[in-house]
Amino acid sequence: AAQADSVCLAMQIPPLLAPPPDGFQGAVFAGAAKANLKPSKLLVSGIMAGAFIGYGAYLACTVGGNCPQLGQSNPGLQKLVFGAFGLPFGLFMTVLSGTELFTGNAAMVSMATLEEKAQPVQLLKSLCLSWLGNFIGAVGLAK
Protein backbone atom coordinates (compact mmCIF):
# COMPACT_ATOMS: atom_id res chain seq x y z
CA ALA A 1 0.00 0.00 0.00
CA ALA A 2 2.86 2.39 0.80
CA GLN A 3 4.38 1.75 -2.62
CA ALA A 4 1.05 2.56 -4.33
CA ASP A 5 0.82 5.84 -2.38
CA SER A 6 4.33 6.84 -3.45
CA VAL A 7 3.51 6.01 -7.09
CA CYS A 8 0.41 8.25 -6.97
CA LEU A 9 2.41 11.07 -5.42
CA ALA A 10 5.16 10.71 -7.99
CA MET A 11 2.63 10.90 -10.85
CA GLN A 12 1.26 14.25 -9.63
CA ILE A 13 -2.35 13.46 -10.45
CA PRO A 14 -4.16 16.76 -11.12
CA PRO A 15 -7.13 17.63 -8.94
CA LEU A 16 -10.61 16.90 -10.30
CA LEU A 17 -11.71 20.47 -9.61
CA ALA A 18 -9.49 23.42 -10.40
CA PRO A 19 -9.63 26.65 -8.43
CA PRO A 20 -11.45 29.43 -10.37
CA PRO A 21 -8.32 31.18 -11.71
CA ASP A 22 -6.95 27.88 -13.03
CA GLY A 23 -10.33 26.95 -14.51
CA PHE A 24 -10.50 30.31 -16.27
CA GLN A 25 -7.01 29.88 -17.69
CA GLY A 26 -7.96 26.40 -18.90
CA ALA A 27 -11.01 27.87 -20.66
CA VAL A 28 -8.84 30.58 -22.23
CA PHE A 29 -6.40 27.92 -23.46
CA ALA A 30 -9.29 25.85 -24.89
CA GLY A 31 -10.76 28.97 -26.50
CA ALA A 32 -7.46 29.78 -28.17
CA ALA A 33 -7.32 26.25 -29.56
CA LYS A 34 -10.90 26.56 -30.86
CA ALA A 35 -10.04 29.92 -32.43
CA ASN A 36 -7.26 28.26 -34.45
CA LEU A 37 -9.43 25.51 -35.96
CA LYS A 38 -9.60 25.37 -39.73
CA PRO A 39 -12.91 26.75 -41.05
CA SER A 40 -13.82 23.43 -42.70
CA LYS A 41 -13.22 21.48 -39.46
CA LEU A 42 -15.21 24.03 -37.46
CA LEU A 43 -18.15 23.87 -39.84
CA VAL A 44 -18.25 20.06 -40.05
CA SER A 45 -17.84 19.76 -36.30
CA GLY A 46 -20.65 22.29 -35.83
CA ILE A 47 -22.92 20.31 -38.14
CA MET A 48 -22.30 17.16 -36.10
CA ALA A 49 -22.97 18.98 -32.82
CA GLY A 50 -26.22 20.42 -34.19
CA ALA A 51 -27.32 16.95 -35.26
CA PHE A 52 -26.47 15.53 -31.82
CA ILE A 53 -28.50 18.20 -30.02
CA GLY A 54 -31.32 17.75 -32.52
CA TYR A 55 -31.25 14.00 -31.91
CA GLY A 56 -31.46 14.65 -28.17
CA ALA A 57 -34.52 16.85 -28.73
CA TYR A 58 -36.07 14.16 -30.93
CA LEU A 59 -35.45 11.58 -28.22
CA ALA A 60 -37.02 13.85 -25.59
CA CYS A 61 -40.15 14.29 -27.71
CA THR A 62 -40.54 10.63 -28.62
CA VAL A 63 -39.84 9.23 -25.15
CA GLY A 64 -40.88 11.95 -22.73
CA GLY A 65 -43.56 13.52 -24.87
CA ASN A 66 -45.15 10.19 -25.77
CA CYS A 67 -46.39 9.26 -22.31
CA PRO A 68 -49.99 10.52 -22.22
CA GLN A 69 -51.05 8.25 -19.35
CA LEU A 70 -48.07 9.36 -17.30
CA GLY A 71 -48.83 12.99 -18.15
CA GLN A 72 -52.38 12.59 -16.87
CA SER A 73 -51.54 10.69 -13.72
CA ASN A 74 -48.27 12.41 -12.78
CA PRO A 75 -47.43 15.45 -14.93
CA GLY A 76 -44.30 16.23 -12.92
CA LEU A 77 -42.82 12.80 -13.57
CA GLN A 78 -43.68 13.09 -17.25
CA LYS A 79 -41.79 16.40 -17.45
CA LEU A 80 -38.85 14.80 -15.61
CA VAL A 81 -38.76 11.94 -18.13
CA PHE A 82 -38.99 14.47 -20.98
CA GLY A 83 -36.06 16.49 -19.61
CA ALA A 84 -33.96 13.49 -18.63
CA PHE A 85 -33.77 12.15 -22.19
CA GLY A 86 -33.31 15.28 -24.29
CA LEU A 87 -30.59 17.76 -23.59
CA PRO A 88 -28.41 15.45 -21.45
CA PHE A 89 -28.21 12.86 -24.22
CA GLY A 90 -27.40 15.45 -26.90
CA LEU A 91 -24.77 17.12 -24.73
CA PHE A 92 -23.27 13.75 -23.80
CA MET A 93 -22.75 12.87 -27.46
CA THR A 94 -21.40 16.36 -28.19
CA VAL A 95 -18.88 16.33 -25.35
CA LEU A 96 -17.68 12.78 -26.00
CA SER A 97 -17.17 13.42 -29.69
CA GLY A 98 -15.49 16.81 -29.17
CA THR A 99 -17.72 18.60 -31.63
CA GLU A 100 -18.35 22.35 -31.60
CA LEU A 101 -21.46 23.89 -30.09
CA PHE A 102 -22.08 27.60 -30.60
CA THR A 103 -22.54 28.15 -26.86
CA GLY A 104 -19.13 26.71 -25.98
CA ASN A 105 -17.44 28.73 -28.68
CA ALA A 106 -19.25 31.90 -27.60
CA ALA A 107 -17.94 31.44 -24.07
CA MET A 108 -14.42 30.13 -24.59
CA VAL A 109 -13.31 31.95 -27.73
CA SER A 110 -14.66 35.19 -26.26
CA MET A 111 -12.54 34.61 -23.15
CA ALA A 112 -9.49 33.92 -25.30
CA THR A 113 -10.15 37.09 -27.28
CA LEU A 114 -10.54 39.20 -24.14
CA GLU A 115 -7.26 37.78 -22.82
CA GLU A 116 -5.61 38.55 -26.20
CA LYS A 117 -4.92 34.88 -26.98
CA ALA A 118 -7.16 35.07 -30.05
CA GLN A 119 -7.96 37.79 -32.56
CA PRO A 120 -11.43 39.35 -32.97
CA VAL A 121 -11.58 38.01 -36.54
CA GLN A 122 -11.04 34.49 -35.14
CA LEU A 123 -13.91 35.07 -32.70
CA LEU A 124 -16.16 36.18 -35.56
CA LYS A 125 -15.15 33.13 -37.63
CA SER A 126 -15.78 30.80 -34.71
CA LEU A 127 -19.17 32.26 -33.84
CA CYS A 128 -20.44 32.38 -37.42
CA LEU A 129 -19.27 28.93 -38.49
CA SER A 130 -20.29 27.14 -35.30
CA TRP A 131 -23.75 28.76 -35.39
CA LEU A 132 -24.18 27.95 -39.08
CA GLY A 133 -22.96 24.39 -38.54
CA ASN A 134 -25.29 23.85 -35.56
CA PHE A 135 -28.19 25.21 -37.61
CA ILE A 136 -27.42 22.99 -40.62
CA GLY A 137 -27.04 19.93 -38.40
CA ALA A 138 -30.27 20.49 -36.49
CA VAL A 139 -32.36 21.37 -39.56
CA GLY A 140 -30.76 18.58 -41.59
CA LEU A 141 -31.74 16.09 -38.93
CA ALA A 142 -35.30 17.45 -38.86
CA LYS A 143 -35.80 16.84 -42.59
Side-chain angles (χ1 to χ4, degrees):
Q3 185 179 11
D5 289 340
S6 64
V7 169
C8 286
L9 290 174
M11 290 174 37
Q12 294 296 321
I13 298 172
L16 294 177
L17 294 174
D22 294 344
F24 180 78
Q25 289 306 316
V28 168
F29 179 75
K34 287 175 179 286
N36 288 311
L37 286 175
K38 289 189 220 176
S40 59
K41 174 154 176 57
L42 184 59
L43 183 63
V44 170
S45 186
I47 291 170
M48 294 299 297
F52 291 153
I53 295 298
Y55 185 72
Y58 173 74
L59 186 63
C61 291
T62 55
V63 173
N66 240 356
C67 305
Q69 289 83 12
L70 184 59
Q72 290 172 354
S73 65
N74 192 341
L77 182 59
Q78 189 263 341
K79 291 186 186 317
L80 177 70
V81 169
F82 184 89
F85 282 97
L87 185 63
F89 188 76
L91 283 176
F92 184 72
M93 290 192 310
T94 300
V95 169
L96 284 182
S97 65
T99 54
E100 302 293 326
L101 272 179
F102 172 79
T103 52
N105 283 341
M108 290 190 218
V109 181
S110 294
M111 284 188 246
T113 303
L114 290 172
E115 292 292 313
E116 298 179 352
K117 304 290 185 208
Q119 300 299 315
V121 69
Q122 291 176 304
L123 173 63
L124 186 63
K125 172 196 78 168
S126 179
L127 294 178
C128 291
L129 290 177
S130 63
W131 186 89
L132 181 63
N134 289 175
F135 182 78
I136 291 169
V139 171
L141 182 78
K143 282 198 158 219

